[in-house]
Amino acid sequence: ASIGSRSPPRPRGSSAPYQMKFVSLPDRTQVPALGLGTWRLGEAPERRAAELDTLRTAFDLGYRLFDTAEMYADGRAEELLGEALAGRRHEAFIVSKVLPQNSWVKAARAACERSLKRLRTDYIDLYLLHWREQVSLPEVLESMERLVAAGKIRRWGVSNFDTADLKELWSIPDGNRCAVNQVWYSLGSRGPEFDLLPWQRERRLPLMAYCPLDEGRLAVHPALTALGRRYRASAAQLALAWLLSHPEVIAIPKAAHPGHLNENLAAARITLSPQDAAELDRVFQPPRSKQRLAMV
Ligand code: NAP
């Protein structure tokens, strides 16, 4: 499958006048290269109405890929997302995650059913193992494949897997059915470029970049702010445009602020010049040796 499409179709049902880049999953499904994170949503009851509004606005603006997890606000982020997508769920691509302790066959089925209920849907588009911990990979694989066979999830992937973990997964029969690896990847955290990203690229395994704005810190970085002026873009937009210049990368910035939602979506339109990409390499140096995977 080719990764990245130059003239992608608009997401189904979308009338939003924006240009989105797309990334091909190993099964050739095209997903938007920019989605929305939901970590920390659902945590405070007094913010619930505003957060629901944010998620609905995001959909109206054209967001179609949403990243959540059973862990976020103990399921309340999934609940919020389910409510926000009610009636238009089939136009969205939902990513959720199972906790390692729930990844054993029986527990995974129950955890997935709980997520489905909260999300008000009968399938999850992409279900990730949230992090590795001490779980048995063959068991995880069996859990995931059973959920696929039962129609509960469309495909599965992993999160916070470094190169050695992926190699181990690939050594198991059908381990290469993994659709995505979601890790911390940003201008401020370029470790994956040393060996993880090349390894994934060779196998056409997309990398989903979490904390693409380093939890907001890149949005106020002076070098990015200065460079952004050349593109009439904000620092956050430059940081996202840089990520999206990698054809196999999907970025999932979280934004509760409506202005941020709009801004981030528009970052997909920015193409960095080679000179400016080189300038970013001087400020945010690429790794020269193996670095341990950063994790939140
Ligand atoms: P992030 O997306 O790097 O940063 C989010 C912060 O940036 C928020 O404070 C947000 O503010 C701010 N922001 C967003 N757009 C902005 C803009 N245009 N200008 C200025 N500030 C802006 O960090 P994250 O939320 O930690 O990561 C993103 C998503 O990745 C999460 O929500 C979650 O879905 C996923 N994630 C996964 C894992 C994992 O283990 N798999 C770990 C961490 C995160 P406002 O909210 O006020 O707009």
Side-chain angles (χ1 to χ4, degrees), residues 185-207:
Y185 181 44
S186 66
L187 270 172
S189 198
R190 294 182 65 169
E193 273 168 55
F194 187 73
D195 60 347
L196 182 63
L197 190 57
W199 194 92
Q200 292 197 203
R201 185 177 293 144
E202 262 174 44
R203 286 154 189 84
R204 299 192 180 281
L205 175 67
L207 186 150

Side-chain angles (χ1 to χ4, degrees), residues 83-103:
E83 194 172 339
L85 294 178
R88 44 193 190 175
R89 183 268 168 272
H90 297 295
E91 292 172 50
F93 187 95
I94 299 179
V95 184
S96 194
K97 310 182 199 82
V98 62
L99 290 165
Q101 63 264 33
N102 288 339
S103 65

Side-chain angles (χ1 to χ4, degrees), residues 151-168:
K152 305 285 174 190
I153 64 173
R154 291 274 154 91
R155 53 191 74 72
W156 61 270
V158 294
S159 178
N160 296 302
F161 269 43
D162 208 341
T163 319
D165 301 306
L166 285 181
K167 283 182 180 165
E168 196 181 325

